[in-house]
Amino acid sequence: MRSTRLLPVAAVSALALLAGCSRAVMTTPPVPPTAGAEQVGFASWYGFAHHGRRTASGEVFDMYQLTAAHRTLPFGTRLLVTNRDTSQSTEVRVNDRGPFVEGRILDVSYAAARQLGAVGPGVIPVRLRVVSLPGTETTAPDRYGGGFTVQVGSFTSRARAVALRDTVGGAAAITEATVAGEVLYRVRIGSYADRTQAHAAAQNLVARGFSAIVVDR
């Protein structure tokens, strides 16, 4: 779930201000705090204007981490979020409250927005599924022998993952993982013993226009 600080920051501040946590009245029904529960609606994202500020949970908001704001789910809840238009997906951890806008069910961080293809549109149609509630995880997220790798995309559609893998080229490969009953096809490249090496590889991919994050293997 952790990502590293390597995403470009220019030319998106205005979008973040438009898309982020507004304070209008909302009526969207809450999702039950149960593993496997789903909610469908729209998600926005927030970043620069909130970076470094305290979230509702007391954590300092870091726009480069895979986190999200939800109105009711307990802090620490892990969610699988899928863009219903593109099948792009990512996992986030709830550490803030919002968005308070009719029809919007989630505000994701800038890093998560990059993985979901939300930075340009600002608001996207999503489906979220509760992966786990705080204190209920019994196994660690997928780690295969330790170390780090670079992820350039995650999809619920294998065809889209194949297309991205072919575009990235080189040693890019698809790994499959089942998260909350959903099969995810993750496009990843490389295996690195330390985060510094993985960070350098990810920076090269970002320079090529890909949304790359460093993740645990």
Side-chain angles (χ1 to χ4, degrees):
M1 294 289 294
R2 292 177 300 168
S3 63
T4 192
R5 302 187 179 199
L6 44 88
L7 301 175
V9 297
V12 291
S13 297
L15 288 171
L17 290 171
L18 290 172
C21 293
S22 300
R23 299 294 171 187
V25 176
M26 51 57 179
T27 59
T28 305
V31 61
T34 306
E38 293 191 350
Q39 191 175 23
V40 174
F42 290 86
S44 48
W45 66 275
Y46 64 126
F48 301 97
H50 300 269
H51 186 67
R53 297 184 180 181
R54 291 284 177 184
T55 64
S57 68
E59 291 183 25
V60 174
F61 176 63
D62 185 341
M63 59 186 270
Y64 300 101
Q65 299 299 313
L66 298 174
T67 60
H70 191 274
R71 293 193 294 268
T72 60
L73 287 171
F75 296 133
T77 299
R78 293 191 179 275
L79 302 173
L80 172 63
V81 186
T82 302
N83 182 329
R84 291 185 286 133
D85 281 345
T86 66
S87 84
Q88 290 169 278
S89 65
T90 192
E91 295 172 62
V92 298
R93 179 175 56 84
V94 175
N95 72 343
D96 204 359
R97 289 289 176 241
F100 300 99
V101 176
E102 175 69 26
R104 296 190 198 176
I105 60 174
L106 203 67
D107 255 343
V108 299
S109 65
Y110 174 63
R114 292 271 297 179
Q115 291 285 294
L116 291 167
V119 172
V123 178
I124 58 171
V126 297
R127 181 182 74 253
L128 65 84
R129 181 177 298 176
V130 177
V131 176
S132 65
L133 297 171
T136 63
E137 289 183 292
T138 57
T139 57
D142 70 336
R143 293 181 64 90
Y144 302 100
F148 303 92
T149 187
V150 178
Q151 181 170 298
V152 291
S154 177
F155 301 86
T156 55
S157 163
R158 181 174 178 81
R160 290 182 182 271
V162 169
L164 178 59
R165 178 200 63 191
D166 293 346
T167 300
V168 175
I174 296 172
T175 64
E176 295 185 19
T178 301
V179 178
E182 184 90 66
V183 178
L184 302 182
Y185 303 95
R186 294 166 170 167
V187 181
R188 295 179 168 183
I189 185 167
S191 177
Y192 306 93
D194 62 67
R195 184 172 288 273
T196 300
Q197 293 175 328
H199 179 93
Q203 283 184 314
N204 290 334
L205 287 163
V206 169
R208 291 173 55 194
F210 297 107
S211 175
I213 59 172
V214 174
V215 297
D216 297 330
R217 279 183 48 80

